[in-house]
């Protein structure tokens, strides 16, 4: 085994040295671990979500998928679980809740990657399996909201103490909205929870706690929607809220909207890759991008005849792996083998 | 078969023919109706095929199911007449349906 293939944290500057970094831990990114593993290539996976499975786990964990070969019906979550079981022998390392922000080619042809959390990778190959892009909080289409973001409009909380003297307006009816309502209520000057209907998707015990606080007069609950924001220099002064009794002005200086997640291409757009309508063109032999050593598989890529199907991504991962093997082991000949008959592959899979 | 009319925020109208059994979202996408994004492809997993059902048709199209209500939480300017068009099935009963496309999907 080439030294190259050893995944270590032994590089300078605490960087992680590896063969491959896969960006995106959706079904195709997960299956890429399998195909790369069969050719002795070690992987690290990075995903912005706090869990594996990508859209399958985030958007439709319960919904049945009918077009996975050999599985007449499988839910998004079950497919994810099965893929995790299938790739277990290859010991990939997961970096969840992180996004690759920076990519730069090194003088030696390898790549330096950095995550938004400051983690660094030194990798021979990059495999982009980012699906529809990275999941980011939905921005309510309120005029001028961008100007407030980071100063008085927040989609997540880094330091709760920042809300200490704030009049906070939280919008939404799911767990994020309820959790932050309950967490910030004891800290903030005041908390108002606004939701479009008097029913909540969040966990029942959170809903109960929230209602109890409302009954005690410690929390204001409004049923309605925000229609406008006012303030200066990014500092929110009030929000206009439409309820069934008409419009009212709420004096608030912090807003937290929780309208779920949407997929955005994100930093990938800044890496100098050739893009076509936010997709990455690849060849259909190796699924390599315009940059040698950077591959794209699954929904994020495009080529003549491309279909955004999970099964297409699986095929792409298999072919991509053949080329990646050449990058990682330039002097080794790759013999094509079947898992059904190859004792070598079966040993890797731990079945022999 | 049903004829479905989509009215844009600027008042422009487009009437399309939809086959029984498909969804109203699919009929909109097949006919390139502006403002129907359907990001998730009809899985009721986003809220970007949001429409307002004309008052005369609200009874025929019915109320959103629980899952659809949950998803409508992610839409903007949701009203009593709000539906996700991927959850409205085309049938003869809705021939003539009139829908308004919201000014923004998000």
């Amino acid at each position: 085994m080439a030294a190259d293939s050893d995944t270590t944290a032994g590089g300078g500057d605490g960087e992680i040295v590896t063969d491959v970094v896969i960006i995106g831990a959706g079904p195709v990114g997960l299956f890429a671990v399998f195909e790369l593993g069969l050719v002795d290539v070690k992987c690290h996976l990075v995903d912005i979500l706090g869990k594996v499975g990508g859209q399958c786990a985030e958007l439709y964990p319960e919904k049945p998928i009918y077009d996975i070969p050999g599985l007449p019906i499988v839910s998004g979550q079950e497919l994810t679980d099965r893929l995790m079981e299938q790739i277990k022998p290859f010991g990939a390392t997961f970096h969840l809740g992180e996004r690759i922000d920076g990519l730069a080619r090194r003088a030696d042809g390898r790549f330096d990657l950095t995550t938004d959390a400051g983690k660094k990778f030194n990798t021979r190959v990059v495999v982009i399996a980012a699906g529809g892009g990275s999941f980011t909080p939905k921005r309510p289409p309120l005029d001028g909201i961008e100007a407030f973001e980071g100063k008085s409009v927040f989609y997540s909380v880094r330091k709760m103490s920042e809300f200490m003297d704030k009049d906070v307006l939280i919008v939404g009816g799911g767990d994020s909205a309820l959790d932050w309502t309950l967490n910030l209520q004891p800290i903030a000057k005041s908390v108002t929870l606004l939701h479009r209907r008097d029913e909540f998707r969040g966990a029942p015990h959170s809903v109960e706690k929230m209602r109890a606080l409302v009954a005690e007069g410690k929390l204001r609950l409004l049923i309605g929607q925000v229609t406008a924001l006012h303030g200066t220099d990014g500092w929110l002064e009030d929000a206009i809220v439409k309820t069934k009794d008409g419009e009212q002005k709420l004096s608030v200086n912090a807003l937290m909207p929780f309208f779920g997640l949407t997929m955005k291409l994100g930093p990938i757009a800044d890496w100098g890759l050739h893009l076509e309508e936010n997709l990455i063109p690849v060849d259909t032999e190796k699924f390599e991008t315009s940059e040698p050593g950077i591959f794209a598989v699954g929904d994020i890529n495009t080529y003549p005849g491309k279909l955004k199907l999970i099964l297409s991504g699986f095929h792409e991962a298999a072919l991509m792996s053949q080329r990646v093997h050449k990058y990682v082991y330039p002097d080794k000949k790759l013999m094509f083998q079947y898992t059904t008959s190859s004792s070598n592959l079966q040993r890797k899979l731990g079945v022999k | 078969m049903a004829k479905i009319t989509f009215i844009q925020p600027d008042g422009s109208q487009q009437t399309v023919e939809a086959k029984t059994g498909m969804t109203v979202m699919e009929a909109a996408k097949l006919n390139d109706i502006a403002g129907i994004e359907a990001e998730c492809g009809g899985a009721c997993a986003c809220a970007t095929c949001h429409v307002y059902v004309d008052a005369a048709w609200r009874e025929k199209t019915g109320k959103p199911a629980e899952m659809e209500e949950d998803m409508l939480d992610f839409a903007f300017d949701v009203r009593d007449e709000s539906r996700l068009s991927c959850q409205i099935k085309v049938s003869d009963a809705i021939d003539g349906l009139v829908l308004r496309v919201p000014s923004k999907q998000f």
Side-chain angles (χ1 to χ4, degrees):
Chain A
M1 191 174 280
D4 210 6
S5 171
D6 288 334
T7 297
T8 57
D13 216 12
E15 67 184 4
I16 297 167
V17 180
T18 184
D19 296 334
V20 174
V21 171
I22 300 173
I23 302 173
V28 175
L30 294 178
F31 193 65
V33 171
F34 183 86
E35 289 295 333
L36 289 165
L38 286 182
V39 295
D40 299 317
V41 175
K42 291 274 182 235
C43 307
H44 282 251
L45 290 99
V46 180
D47 199 294
I48 184 121
L49 293 177
K51 58 188 169 203
V52 298
Q55 291 183 50
C56 284
E58 178 62 30
L59 290 184
Y60 45 88
E62 308 290 329
K63 281 172 194 147
I65 307 170
Y66 299 102
D67 61 352
I68 304 297
L71 296 173
I73 175 170
V74 65
S75 71
Q77 189 56 51
E78 192 190 351
L79 179 63
T80 304
D81 295 344
R82 284 171 174 253
L83 284 163
M84 287 300 283
E85 177 73 26
Q86 196 167 19
I87 68 174
K88 215 192 240 167
F90 302 111
T93 310
F94 291 87
H95 307 267
L96 300 176
E98 288 185 55
R99 187 179 70 188
I100 298 288
D101 276 358
L103 177 150
R105 192 186 285 276
R106 301 160 56 98
D108 62 5
R110 298 171 60 92
F111 297 93
D112 281 328
L113 299 182
T114 44
T115 73
D116 56 350
K119 206 175 274 172
K120 288 182 178 156
F121 296 93
N122 168 349
T123 185
R124 180 69 192 86
V125 167
V126 178
V127 176
I128 303 172
S134 56
F135 278 97
T136 41
K138 279 170 83 170
R139 167 192 284 162
L142 296 164
D143 285 336
I145 188 168
E146 295 92 336
F148 297 104
E149 287 171 354
K151 270 186 174 170
S152 48
V153 171
F154 305 94
Y155 300 97
S156 60
V157 176
R158 254 184 249 120
K159 263 199 249 151
M160 291 224 285
S161 57
E162 284 174 11
F163 293 85
M164 204 132 66
D165 301 311
K166 304 278 188 191
D167 293 301
V168 185
L169 174 61
I170 296 176
V171 190
D175 280 315
S176 305
L178 287 165
D179 288 351
W180 287 117
T181 298
L182 298 176
N183 285 331
L184 292 178
Q185 184 276 327
I187 294 169
K189 195 163 141 205
S190 76
V191 175
T192 305
L193 176 62
L194 174 70
H195 185 40
R196 73 168 183 97
R197 55 183 176 137
D198 201 9
E199 271 169 76
F200 292 81
R201 304 183 310 281
H205 67 270
S206 305
V207 180
E208 271 170 44
K209 270 195 206 163
M210 179 274 291
R211 293 214 187 269
L213 286 170
V214 173
E216 290 169 41
K218 291 178 176 166
L219 174 73
R220 180 161 53 166
L221 172 64
L222 290 176
I223 305 304
Q225 297 169 78
V226 190
T227 56
L229 303 177
H230 300 129
T232 40
D233 294 335
W235 301 105
L236 191 63
E237 283 153 18
D238 62 72
I240 306 298
V241 169
K242 194 166 85 181
T243 66
K244 66 176 183 356
D245 305 320
E247 289 203 333
Q248 53 177 294
K249 190 198 272 191
L250 288 187
S251 283
V252 290
N253 45 23
L255 169 70
M256 302 191 68
F258 294 108
F259 287 94
L261 302 171
T262 186
M263 287 170 285
K264 289 256 162 66
L265 188 59
I268 292 173
D270 308 324
W271 297 345
L273 294 170
H274 180 52
L275 295 177
E276 276 174 19
E277 292 181 18
N278 280 346
L279 297 169
I280 307 173
V282 290
D283 66 72
T284 52
E285 181 196 346
K286 312 177 302 287
F287 299 93
E288 200 162 12
T289 68
S290 57
E291 284 291 316
I294 304 181
F295 295 77
V297 291
D299 286 0
I300 194 98
N301 75 12
T302 184
Y303 50 83
K306 167 71 182 183
L307 285 179
K308 287 188 184 186
L309 294 177
I310 293 171
L311 71 95
S312 304
F314 289 168
H315 159 81
E316 294 160 17
L319 270 60
M320 168 275 290
S321 301
Q322 300 288 303
R323 178 66 184 115
V324 171
H325 180 268
K326 283 189 191 158
Y327 277 119
V328 176
Y329 302 102
D331 303 326
K332 264 197 205 172
K333 192 165 171 252
L334 185 59
M335 188 175 69
F336 179 70
Q337 300 174 91
Y338 292 106
T339 55
T340 40
S341 51
S342 159
S343 56
N344 177 34
L345 294 186
Q346 289 172 358
R347 183 181 43 77
K348 291 177 197 175
L349 290 167
V351 291
K352 267 276 160 70
Chain B
M1 288 285 270
K3 281 197 164 60
I4 303 170
T5 300
F6 293 88
I7 305 175
Q8 295 293 334
D10 67 3
S12 64
Q13 297 193 7
Q14 207 175 334
T15 300
V16 306
E17 289 211 347
K19 280 197 185 130
T20 297
M22 65 177 6
T23 69
V24 170
M25 178 278 283
E26 288 168 330
K29 292 302 282 182
L30 278 174
N31 292 281
D32 298 318
I33 300 293
I36 304 291
E37 289 173 19
E39 209 173 71
C40 80
C44 197
C46 69
T48 59
C49 66
H50 178 203
V51 291
Y52 302 122
V53 177
D54 185 83
W57 290 93
R58 281 180 59 190
E59 205 170 309
K60 287 237 169 74
T61 49
K63 279 189 172 358
E66 195 186 327
M67 182 173 69
E68 186 183 344
E69 278 285 6
D70 285 353
M71 271 303 136
L72 278 167
D73 285 351
F74 298 142
F76 189 71
D77 194 7
V78 179
R79 305 173 192 167
D80 288 345
E81 61 268 32
S82 287
R83 290 290 311 268
L84 296 180
S85 56
C86 72
Q87 301 300 306
I88 307 174
K89 282 264 188 218
V90 174
S91 69
D92 293 343
I94 62 162
D95 186 23
L97 177 65
V98 178
L99 301 170
R100 284 177 181 77
V101 180
S103 58
K104 292 163 185 170
Q105 302 277 4
F106 97 115

